[in-house]
Amino acid sequence: MSTYKVPTMAEMAASGDSPEILFWVGCAGSFDDRYKAVTQAFVKILNKVGVSFAVLGPEEACTGDPARRAGNEFLFQMQAVANIQVLNGYNIKKVVTACPHCFNTIKNEYPALGGNYEVIHHSQFLQQLINEGKVALQGGGEFKGKKITFHDSCFLGRANNVYEAPREVIKALDVELVEMKRCRTKGLCCGAGGAQMFKEPEPGKKDINIERTEEALATGAQAIAVGCPFCLTMMTDGVKNKDKENDVQVYDLAEMIAKDMGI
Amino acid sequence: MSILPQLIFLLVFALAGFIIYKRVSFLRRSIFLGKKEARNDNQDERWKTMMLVALGQKKMFKRLGPAFLHLLIYVAFIIINLEVLEFIIDGLSGQHRIFAPFLGGVYNVAMNIFEFLAIAVLVSCFAFLIRRNIMRVDRLAMKELKGWPALDANLILIIEIVLMFAILTMNATDQILAERGVEKYIALQGLFFSGLIQPIFQGMSDGTLIFIERFAWWFHIVGILAFAIYVTYSKHLHIFLAFPNTWYSNLKPKGEMKNMDEVTNEVNMMLGIQTEATGEPPAEVARFGAKDVNDLSWVNIMNAFSCTECGRCTAECPANITGKILSPRKIMMDVRDRAEEVVKSIDAGGQGLEDGKSLLGDYTTKEEINACTSCNACVEACPVNIDPLSIILQMRRYVAMEESGSPAQWNAMFQNMETSFSPWKFAPTDRFNWADQVKNQEAE
């Protein structure tokens, strides 16, 4: 009988170990009740597959993405430089994260401040595990044959051209993947990017997440899959707004895989 | 034979050249109000991008219908300009159809192709007029297009229609005169499309026909020169600027925001980090972020002059779709209008940038820039790789860092990040609490 392990970098370094990957949890993954479940699901998968990983734990801080997009470059760089000092201090080479905003910032914006790492989104990492046969999917899980639509996160899709990895992960579950009218390069934002997550929207005739949720519901999908904590919140709120929370679930990719693996 | 027509032609041609030269200089000065930014790296990739996106119209084809109609006009524009070359040589030398004897049958085929393209342009221009004025396609009938932009768009289409009619009229009368054996007119082996309108002119005398043919010839060539001048005042500038604009595209991932090195210097100093740059006097920082056009990069302003106001950006913008006032197209129009205003003012001995106005405030409002989700849909949609997002984010930087004027909820978020290293107000010590649940769970 063993329990799941969540080693921190500090523990690893103390025992002279270095993990293959650093799992960057992100603020939503650490504090948001709904997204904590995604973090936990991903950690269980890593345990199950036997990937050598560690997290920063209390040493992690916000990447600074929302500050930068809201215009506060000073605050962004303060966060970034501090994080880079921690990462470089542990000699991190490879980072995996379940947040496309963290992914984009660490991958594209930290190099200018001295942080150079191989950065992968968890959808890409899951796809690799599936392709390598390390994740053995049961195929007969609760998603089998269900209609599922995938909502592209802007910071994964247009910002970084990752469109296929999350779709490959979903298809591996033996489901019927249905596309929304606006998908991939034309995907409609959930409304939370660019620091909108942290303020009320400007006056308009509709909230963006409602527009997007209507489009997702129009596909007739029984579940909406996302790969981003902000999208998860926005789409979940949208589904509730439409009184469909009993019919249509919103899941992160890692949760779906973990469910299928029975963990 | 009098050389008067040749002299007049030379004068008209020289005058047009001079006006265009003055306009190009004006446009250059407008664009270079912007800050320096080196975009000369990766030249192979840049040429490739230009060939695919500008010459190859790759991104136009995200919307098939308009792309096809636009392609017809684009191909016609390039190919019919070969005929304009003949016009210019004829005009300067006093010859008529100077290429015809050299090319023989090929010339006849070429003329028929030109006429086909002229018809294609007519069809496309009529279709575009209908889309704008009768169908009133959403993105072509938005409020930022009221007034000059809408007139500009219609004028361009009407000018093109008139010019194509001039070509067909000229060819129709020219061939009737040639059949009648009138001196200088060269009989070709049949022009299909202008042949269809020949019956209109058959009953006319040689004199009348020569007048009509000459009138159409002059109208066409002077019309083209006038159009070339007009383009420099118009959104239609994209026909030239699309090329440099795509060459200077942002080749980095769209999600990457440009690092502000001037801020990095200060952050490093505050944190006591030694860098290679330490010791050098810090570069003078005029302003953080962008309040006016001169705070933007020259590429941002070139983007604005390359914009043909098609509105594909705005049609894809989630904020605009849901009724917010943000329109990426309007941001580009604002930048262009402000840059023109500044250079006009300087040229008139006015105060230029110091006229008490600015891009942010007098053209673009905070409500617009605050509504952006930085989703890059506008950037992805633009057929000539314009980047409205970069401008929006630079203005946000000005508001946040120079004015501390961000929305209150953002200021609260900044405060949370400063004190608890998270955009939400949670204790940093609780950051790792999520792990407790999994650690206590049995792994199968």
Side-chain angles (χ1 to χ4, degrees):
Chain A
M1 290 278 189
S2 65
T3 54
Y4 290 108
K5 303 271 185 293
V6 191
T8 62
M9 276 310 305
E11 292 161 5
M12 282 254 175
S15 59
D17 282 344
S18 60
E20 191 193 318
I21 61 160
L22 174 81
F23 171 33
W24 182 275
V25 180
C27 300
S30 304
F31 295 119
D32 179 271
D33 276 337
R34 181 66 187 80
Y35 219 64
K36 276 195 263 183
V38 176
T39 306
Q40 290 160 352
F42 190 61
V43 160
K44 286 183 192 172
I45 297 170
L46 295 176
N47 269 273
K48 186 90 176 170
V49 174
V51 176
S52 142
F53 79 101
V55 296
L56 286 174
E59 285 188 280
E60 197 184 277
C62 175
T63 60
D65 160 83
R68 181 171 243 196
R69 262 120 204 114
N72 195 335
E73 181 77 4
F74 274 99
L75 184 52
F76 161 74
Q77 291 200 13
M78 294 292 282
Q79 295 290 121
V81 169
N83 279 324
I84 290 166
Q85 283 185 316
V86 173
L87 291 168
N88 288 354
Y90 285 125
N91 200 20
I92 301 294
K93 297 273 178 276
K94 191 169 174 180
V95 178
V96 178
T97 177
C99 172
H101 296 262
C102 299
F103 167 72
N104 177 68
T105 302
I106 302 174
K107 176 173 177 286
N108 298 322
E109 299 181 350
Y110 278 16
L113 296 165
N116 294 285
Y117 322 101
E118 184 192 345
V119 188
I120 334 182
H121 184 246
H122 76 320
S123 64
Q124 297 170 307
F125 194 72
L126 289 171
Q127 187 199 7
Q128 281 172 24
L129 293 179
I130 293 168
N131 288 353
E132 289 163 6
K134 288 182 182 160
V135 164
L137 293 171
Q138 328 233 317
E142 68 173 279
F143 299 109
K144 187 182 165 63
K146 278 197 179 166
K147 254 191 186 180
I148 292 179
T149 189
F150 176 69
H151 163 77
D152 286 282
S153 151
C154 307
F155 278 76
L156 191 59
R158 276 187 295 270
N160 289 292
N161 291 317
V162 179
Y163 297 109
E164 297 314 317
R167 288 181 168 78
E168 291 303 316
V169 171
I170 295 169
K171 282 185 203 155
L173 291 165
D174 201 11
V175 302
E176 184 192 346
L177 178 64
V178 285
E179 293 290 354
M180 287 182 252
K181 207 172 147 221
R182 289 173 284 202
C183 63
R184 294 193 172 83
T185 58
K186 290 191 133 202
L188 185 77
C189 177
C190 71
Q196 300 298 339
M197 185 71 193
F198 306 100
K199 74 168 188 38
E200 289 304 312
E202 275 56 39
K205 58 179 198 276
K206 201 185 214 179
D207 283 343
I208 297 172
N209 65 324
I210 304 298
E211 169 88 7
R212 186 53 162 171
T213 304
E214 286 169 358
E215 194 174 1
L217 295 176
T219 61
Q222 290 140 299
I224 301 167
V226 297
C228 168
F230 298 162
C231 297
L232 185 73
T233 302
M234 297 306 266
M235 298 306 284
T236 307
D237 288 353
V239 170
K240 272 186 205 149
N241 181 283
K242 293 276 158 193
D243 288 326
K244 291 278 181 200
E245 67 265 40
N246 294 325
D247 311 319
V248 178
Q249 268 70 50
V250 187
Y251 290 114
D252 174 84
L253 300 167
E255 291 179 298
M256 297 174 76
I257 296 294
K259 270 181 189 290
D260 194 84
M261 291 167 78
I263 52 177
Chain B
M1 200 194 79
S2 163
I3 63 159
L4 190 63
Q6 283 160 265
L7 275 178
I8 294 173
F9 183 85
L10 186 66
L11 265 173
V12 169
F13 195 63
L15 182 68
F18 178 71
I19 298 173
I20 292 171
Y21 167 78
K22 296 294 278 184
R23 283 298 299 171
V24 169
S25 145
F26 175 89
L27 295 169
R28 274 185 66 89
R29 280 177 296 135
S30 303
I31 290 170
F32 289 117
L33 284 174
K35 289 197 272 193
K36 282 185 192 151
E37 184 184 354
R39 283 238 179 129
N40 299 311
D41 58 318
N42 220 338
Q43 301 221 348
D44 289 350
E45 186 64 25
R46 297 193 172 282
W47 286 110
K48 202 177 119 195
T49 307
M50 189 181 89
M51 296 310 272
L52 280 173
V53 178
L55 193 72
Q57 314 255 298
K58 184 179 160 202
K59 289 176 83 183
M60 279 298 288
F61 280 85
K62 286 169 178 251
R63 287 173 189 254
L64 274 179
F68 178 70
L69 296 170
H70 179 269
L71 182 72
L72 292 176
I73 298 183
Y74 167 69
V75 170
F77 172 78
I78 291 177
I79 295 182
I80 292 179
N81 272 330
L82 296 173
E83 196 185 4
V84 174
L85 184 69
E86 186 186 38
F87 270 59
I88 292 169
I89 297 172
D90 282 352
L92 290 174
S93 66
Q95 301 289 315
H96 186 68
R97 294 198 186 275
I98 195 163
F99 292 161
F102 299 105
L103 297 174
V106 175
Y107 186 86
N108 195 62
V109 173
M111 284 301 135
N112 270 303
I113 292 174
F114 293 167
E115 286 198 348
F116 167 75
L117 290 171
I119 297 289
V121 170
L122 282 176
V123 170
S124 293
C125 287
F126 274 118
F128 284 152
L129 280 173
I130 291 169
R131 281 169 61 82
R132 277 181 185 273
N133 302 293
I134 297 172
M135 291 163 64
R136 298 190 65 77
V137 173
D138 282 347
R139 69 185 159 97
L140 305 176
M142 284 177 177
K143 63 174 185 292
E144 69 249 31
L145 296 183
K146 282 221 174 82
W148 163 245
L151 177 66
D152 184 18
N154 283 325
L155 273 178
I156 291 158
L157 294 169
I158 292 165
I159 294 172
E160 286 178 22
I161 288 172
V162 171
L163 288 175
M164 293 307 111
F165 271 119
I167 286 195
L168 294 171
T169 305
M170 181 190 80
N171 281 354
T173 49
D174 175 274
Q175 285 307 296
I176 298 174
L177 289 164
E179 280 162 28
R180 293 185 189 173
V182 176
E183 192 197 357
K184 274 184 86 171
Y185 288 99
I186 298 166
L188 304 171
Q189 295 97 359
L191 298 177
F192 179 75
F193 293 100
S194 60
L196 296 176
I197 57 167
Q198 274 184 342
I200 304 171
F201 305 105
Q202 287 292 8
M204 296 179 183
S205 70
D206 288 359
T208 311
L209 286 177
I210 291 174
F211 178 79
I212 295 175
E213 190 276 331
R214 282 292 87 191
F215 181 82
W217 188 92
W218 278 94
F219 187 87
H220 187 68
I221 187 66
V222 174
I224 282 179
L225 294 173
F227 189 59
I229 296 167
Y230 178 79
V231 162
T232 65
Y233 289 89
S234 155
K235 75 183 188 88
H236 215 50
L237 206 47
H238 80 290
I239 59 177
F240 300 112
L241 281 183
F243 293 88
N245 200 65
T246 48
W247 199 87
Y248 287 105
S249 292
N250 173 28
L251 299 179
K252 297 187 173 145
K254 288 192 189 68
E256 179 180 339
M257 266 177 83
K258 197 166 176 284
N259 194 63
M260 290 179 71
D261 295 336
E262 60 270 40
V263 170
T264 310
N265 290 339
E266 297 202 17
V267 167
N268 283 341
M269 267 191 278
M270 279 165 73
L271 297 174
I273 295 173
Q274 297 287 317
T275 61
E276 294 153 28
T278 315
E280 286 173 32
E284 189 110 346
V285 178
R287 204 181 256 164
F288 290 118
K291 181 189 188 191
D292 211 342
V293 280
N294 62 318
D295 301 319
L296 298 170
S297 141
W298 72 276
V299 177
N300 295 138
I301 306 180
M302 176 172 62
N303 274 186
F305 280 93
S306 308
C307 172
T308 197
E309 299 164 14
C310 71
R312 290 180 180 213
C313 50
T314 296
E316 303 283 328
C317 172
N320 192 278
I321 288 171
T322 54
K324 282 82 177 172
I325 57 169
L326 172 62
S327 162
R329 165 173 56 188
K330 179 181 169 288
I331 301 287
M332 303 317 299
M333 293 167 75
D334 289 346
V335 170
R336 178 179 177 153
D337 289 348
R338 175 59 183 160
E340 283 187 339
E341 178 182 62
V342 168
V343 177
K344 267 184 207 157
S345 159
I346 293 170
D347 285 355
Q351 292 177 298
L353 287 159
E354 311 303 325
D355 61 357
K357 295 211 252 173
S358 57
L359 174 64
L360 180 67
D362 294 292
Y363 286 83
T364 308
T365 60
K366 284 188 197 172
E367 185 180 335
E368 292 168 75
I369 58 169
N370 287 344
C372 172
T373 68
S374 71
C375 76
N376 270 301
C378 55
V379 183
E380 180 73 40
C382 182
V384 295
N385 285 357
I386 290 170
D387 185 352
L389 176 57
S390 153
I391 296 168
I392 293 170
L393 293 173
Q394 288 176 74
M395 287 197 267
R396 278 192 186 171
R397 281 173 166 172
Y398 172 79
V399 175
M401 291 189 281
E402 296 281 358
E403 289 190 330
S404 301
S406 303
Q409 287 174 303
W410 276 356
N411 283 332
M413 179 262 287
F414 296 155
Q415 210 173 10
N416 292 338
M417 204 181 285
E418 277 164 21
T419 52
S420 0
F421 313 110
S422 157
W424 294 289
K425 204 181 179 81
F426 288 105
T429 43
D430 291 344
R431 187 175 272 273
F432 196 37
N433 290 358
W434 62 267
D436 297 343
Q437 266 171 299
V438 245
K439 279 182 182 167
N440 295 328
Q441 229 175 314
E442 269 175 35
E444 288 166 42

